[in-house]
């Protein structure tokens, strides 16, 4: 068994940073630059944030900004190295981390 840190980043479809798709930027950062052990993106069917505006899947509406959750894990040191880069793109309150054990 080994200790890992899991990080979860809350976004929504269509979010942009520096004029580029935010999800793709973070994904490339994690995959290409930091080569973290595992990354998964979940698409929500409904959600709301601090402003209370509900975003939900609806067959009648095509352009909905659904919630996305990007989750990744690696050693505590690897996650600590990449988090400052992600925090440049995403508000800190949209990032949650916790410790876990891998290979139980």
């Amino acid at each position: 068994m080994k200790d890992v840190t899991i990080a979860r980043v809350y976004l929504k479809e269509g979010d942009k940073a520096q004029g580029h798709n935010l999800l793709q930027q973070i994904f490339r950062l994690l995959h290409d630059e930091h080569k973290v052990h595992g990354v998964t993106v979940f698409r929500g069917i409904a959600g709301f944030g601090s402003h209370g505006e509900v975003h939900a899947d609806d067959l009648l509406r095509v352009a909905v900004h659904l919630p996305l959750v990007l989750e990744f894990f690696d050693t505590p040191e690897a996650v600590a190295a990449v988090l400052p880069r992600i925090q440049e793109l995403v508000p800190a309150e949209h990032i949650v981390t916790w410790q876990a054990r891998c290979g139980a």
Side-chain angles (χ1 to χ4, degrees), residues 54-97:
V54 175
H55 300 279
D57 193 9
D58 183 340
L59 293 176
L60 300 177
R61 295 184 332 193
V62 177
V64 175
H65 293 289
L66 294 175
L68 297 173
V69 176
L70 182 141
E71 187 172 283
F72 67 97
F73 75 96
D74 207 322
T75 64
E77 299 80 17
V79 173
V82 72
L83 278 180
R85 299 279 310 278
I86 294 173
Q87 289 171 332
E88 293 173 5
L89 303 169
V90 177
E93 63 269 13
H94 290 209
I95 303 169
V96 178
T97 63

Side-chain angles (χ1 to χ4, degrees), residues 32-52:
D32 298 343
E33 292 183 40
H34 287 268
K35 305 197 184 321
V36 300
H37 282 146
V39 177
T40 302
V41 178
F42 302 93
R43 175 181 277 149
I45 58 168
F48 65 89
S50 59
H51 296 295

